[in-house]
């Protein structure tokens, strides 16, 4: 029973409805040469790409964009990305979106195209390490996740200022960016060209119950805390057992999670019912050792011990040269709104927005996505999303 609860946390407390599904249809054939195979082992991920993708530079040469959808990082790994919105050379704002647990660069961020045209928004979505077509990182950490974002912005030449939007668990890299990027002018990291965060939006960011300054009386009755703690132990010490339970075929191990109202609000359930493209984890995927290991490392990095306490951060933008936002659903059952309200009260320099009928899947609401962009890029403060405090 305890083990089952642990695995429930691994998926349910991250907003993932895992169920056995038919494989997604293959993407349309492309005339572009295929990228290097994803999920290489740590020994092969640093090998040189095939000649069809790059010119095999000599040692010491800087390696930038590979083809149209892959970049090679300084440690030899590849990151896959996709671009949306207006062309970069015609854009006013460049925004990197950081996906959450079990998702990818194909995630839905339902900002209407006409709004992106109006504002001049160029979106970059990328597969984080080990997801989609990006190589895994056996040394994944908060710092490495932020560095991947920095290098992506640098290689794609997004300019001296760019924005970051993190979604759900994809916000632990965003928190790390807040501790690294604002200070790059003073401490250049890994000799990358100077970049500066123009603004950050954290959408339904997951809370790490191990943050030292998170008061115990606020979380003592939160069932998510115990589930997450059990899941963290299982991911660290019995990963083989977790993987077996998720992939065995004797019974449906996911039935307790499939659209479970304990983890999904009414609006979330409507999204899951009407959005067949929502990224769901299949047993076929989890049977791949590289996929499972990347998910496990991601979970441990997000909920393990951090090297900083977000609740003690000072304003990284004391001159208001940039802004930081949190977007939360009032009916979110993955991350309860009282926790987000507490975070915003401890960090008054963060602008807090609350969607009255919103659950955890806010990025599937086009009105909310438009509001996120207008608030982040233009500084608007939509009255509809101001928290109604008692």
């Amino acid at each position: 029973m305890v083990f089952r609860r642990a695995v429930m946390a691994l998926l349910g407390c991250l907003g993932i409805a895992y169920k056995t599904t038919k494989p997604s249809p293959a993407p349309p054939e492309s005339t572009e040469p295929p990228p290097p195979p994803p999920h290489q082992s740590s020994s092969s991920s640093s090998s040189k790409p095939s000649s069809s993708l790059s010119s095999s530079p000599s040692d010491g040469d800087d390696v930038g964009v590979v083809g149209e959808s892959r970049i090679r990082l300084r440690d030899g790994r590849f990151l896959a990305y996709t671009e949306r919105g207006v062309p970069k050379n015609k854009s006013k704002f460049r925004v990197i979106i950081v996906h959450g647990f079990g998702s990818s660069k194909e995630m839905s961020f339902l900002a209407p195209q006409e709004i992106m045209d109006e504002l001049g928004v160029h979106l970059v979505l990328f597969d984080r390490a080990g997801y989609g077509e990006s190589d895994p990182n056996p040394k994944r950490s908060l710092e490495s996740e932020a560095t991947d974002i920095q290098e992506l912005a640098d290689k794609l030449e997004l300019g001296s200022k760019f924005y970051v939007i993190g979604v759900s668990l994809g916000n632990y890299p965003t928190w790390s960016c807040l501790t690294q990027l604002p200070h790059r002018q003073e401490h250049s990291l890994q000799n990358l060209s100077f970049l500066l965060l123009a603004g950050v939006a954290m959408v339904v960011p997951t809370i790490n119950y191990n943050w030292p300054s998170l008061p115990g009386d606020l979380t003592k009755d939160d069932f998510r805390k115990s589930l997450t703690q059990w899941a963290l132990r299982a991911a660290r010490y019995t990963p083989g057992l977790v993987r077996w339970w998720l992939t065995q075929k004797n019974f449906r191990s996911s039935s307790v999670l499939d659209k479970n109202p304990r983890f999904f609000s009414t609006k979330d359930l409507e999204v899951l019912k009407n959005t067949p493209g929502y990224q769901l984890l299949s047993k076929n995927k989890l049977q791949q050792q590289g996929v499972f290991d990347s998910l496990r490392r991601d979970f441990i990095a997000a909920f393990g011990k951090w090297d900083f306490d977000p609740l003690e951060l000072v304003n990284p933008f004391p001159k208001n040269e940039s802004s930081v936002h949190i977007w939360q659903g009032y009916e979110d059952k993955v991350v309860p709104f009282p926790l987000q309200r507490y975070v915003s009260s401890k960090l008054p320099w963060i602008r807090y927005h609350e969607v009255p009928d919103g659950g955890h899947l806010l990025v599937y609401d086009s009105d909310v996505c438009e509001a996120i962009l207008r608030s982040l890029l233009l500084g608007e403060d939509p009255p509809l999303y101001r928290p109604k405090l008692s």
Side-chain angles (χ1 to χ4, degrees), residues 43-119:
S43 61
S44 62
S45 62
S46 61
S47 60
K48 293 182 180 181
S50 63
S51 59
S52 63
L53 290 170
S54 76
S55 57
S56 298
S58 59
D59 292 341
D61 287 347
D62 185 31
V63 184
V65 178
V66 177
E68 294 184 356
S69 60
R70 307 266 284 184
I71 63 164
R72 187 181 183 186
L73 304 175
R74 297 174 67 87
D75 63 4
R77 289 182 295 118
F78 287 88
L79 282 188
Y81 68 94
T82 186
E83 298 170 287
R84 302 178 190 171
V86 303
K88 182 175 63 177
N89 60 353
K90 297 182 180 179
S91 65
K92 296 180 181 178
F93 305 103
R94 286 84 183 267
V95 182
I96 294 177
I97 296 185
V98 189
H99 69 77
F101 188 81
S103 188
S104 73
K105 66 181 182 300
E106 307 304 327
M107 63 164 284
S108 294
F109 184 79
L110 298 186
Q113 181 62 43
E114 57 268 24
I115 296 302
M116 292 193 284
D117 291 340
E118 173 193 337
L119 301 181

Side-chain angles (χ1 to χ4, degrees), residues 39-300:
H39 303 301
Q40 301 172 13
S41 66
S42 58
S43 61
S44 62
S45 62
S46 61
S47 60
K48 293 182 180 181
S50 63
S51 59
S52 63
L53 290 170
S54 76
S55 57
S56 298
S58 59
D59 292 341
D61 287 347
D62 185 31
V63 184
V65 178
V66 177
E68 294 184 356
S69 60
R70 307 266 284 184
I71 63 164
R72 187 181 183 186
L73 304 175
R74 297 174 67 87
D75 63 4
R77 289 182 295 118
F78 287 88
L79 282 188
Y81 68 94
T82 186
E83 298 170 287
R84 302 178 190 171
V86 303
K88 182 175 63 177
N89 60 353
K90 297 182 180 179
S91 65
K92 296 180 181 178
F93 305 103
R94 286 84 183 267
V95 182
I96 294 177
I97 296 185
V98 189
H99 69 77
F101 188 81
S103 188
S104 73
K105 66 181 182 300
E106 307 304 327
M107 63 164 284
S108 294
F109 184 79
L110 298 186
Q113 181 62 43
E114 57 268 24
I115 296 302
M116 292 193 284
D117 291 340
E118 173 193 337
L119 301 181
V121 178
H122 178 75
L123 293 181
V124 177
L125 301 94
F126 72 104
D127 291 330
R128 295 195 293 117
Y131 284 98
E133 297 176 321
S134 289
D135 291 334
N137 184 1
K139 299 180 180 179
R140 169 180 249 133
S141 66
L142 272 76
E143 182 178 356
S144 73
E145 289 283 299
T147 301
D148 284 357
I149 294 172
Q150 296 166 32
E151 289 198 52
L152 178 69
D154 191 61
K155 300 294 187 183
L156 297 185
E157 299 180 345
L158 297 187
S160 59
K161 289 191 176 184
F162 66 96
Y163 298 81
V164 172
I165 297 177
V167 180
S168 190
L169 183 133
N171 278 292
Y172 81 83
T174 307
W175 280 112
S176 188
C177 282
L178 286 174
T179 69
Q180 294 189 44
L181 277 172
H183 308 292
R184 287 190 57 189
Q185 188 173 16
E186 301 173 10
H187 307 287
S188 177
L189 295 181
Q190 299 186 10
N191 297 319
L192 299 176
S193 59
F194 170 62
L195 302 170
L196 180 67
L197 282 175
V200 172
M202 294 183 277
V203 184
V204 293
T206 51
I207 300 292
N208 185 339
Y209 291 94
N210 287 322
W211 291 349
S213 299
L214 197 64
D217 58 353
L218 185 66
T219 62
K220 65 179 180 179
D221 297 324
D222 190 343
F223 72 93
R224 304 164 193 82
K225 180 178 181 179
S226 59
L227 288 179
T228 304
Q229 290 173 338
W230 278 112
L232 189 60
R233 293 190 187 102
R236 277 178 171 162
Y237 303 117
T238 60
L241 193 56
V242 174
R243 184 177 173 219
W244 169 83
W245 194 83
L246 290 172
T247 58
Q248 50 75 34
K249 299 178 180 179
N250 294 328
F251 59 93
R252 285 195 65 190
S253 58
S254 60
S255 59
V256 293
L257 295 175
D258 188 12
K259 301 182 181 179
N260 191 332
R262 192 182 191 192
F263 297 107
F264 297 102
S265 70
T266 300
K267 200 163 185 178
D268 287 342
L269 292 174
E270 286 298 313
V271 169
L272 294 174
K273 181 172 65 177
N274 299 319
T275 312
Y278 180 62
Q279 283 79 20
L280 301 176
L281 302 177
S282 69
K283 292 186 178 183
N284 289 335
K285 288 287 187 180
L286 290 170
Q287 285 172 346
Q288 300 176 29
Q289 187 67 49
V291 172
F292 176 80
D293 286 344
S294 292
L295 291 171
R296 173 176 167 267
R297 295 187 191 106
D298 202 21
F299 186 85
I300 291 174

Side-chain angles (χ1 to χ4, degrees), residues 302-372:
F303 293 105
K305 185 178 180 181
W306 291 17
D307 56 4
F308 65 92
D309 185 348
L311 298 181
E312 293 185 350
L313 291 181
V314 298
N315 186 354
F317 310 112
K319 299 179 181 180
N320 295 321
E321 63 270 34
S322 303
S323 61
V324 182
H325 304 252
I326 286 179
W327 285 81
Q328 172 67 23
Y330 182 80
E331 297 182 2
D332 190 339
K333 295 186 180 182
V334 176
V335 185
F337 74 87
L339 290 182
Q340 300 290 23
R341 288 186 178 182
Y342 180 81
V343 171
S344 64
S345 70
K346 293 289 290 183
L347 304 172
W349 44 271
I350 292 182
R351 303 179 189 179
Y352 180 68
H353 313 270
E354 198 170 270
V355 182
D357 62 345
H360 195 68
L361 305 181
L362 291 185
V363 292
Y364 285 84
D365 187 322
S366 60
D367 290 337
V368 173
C369 288
E370 177 181 347
I372 291 171

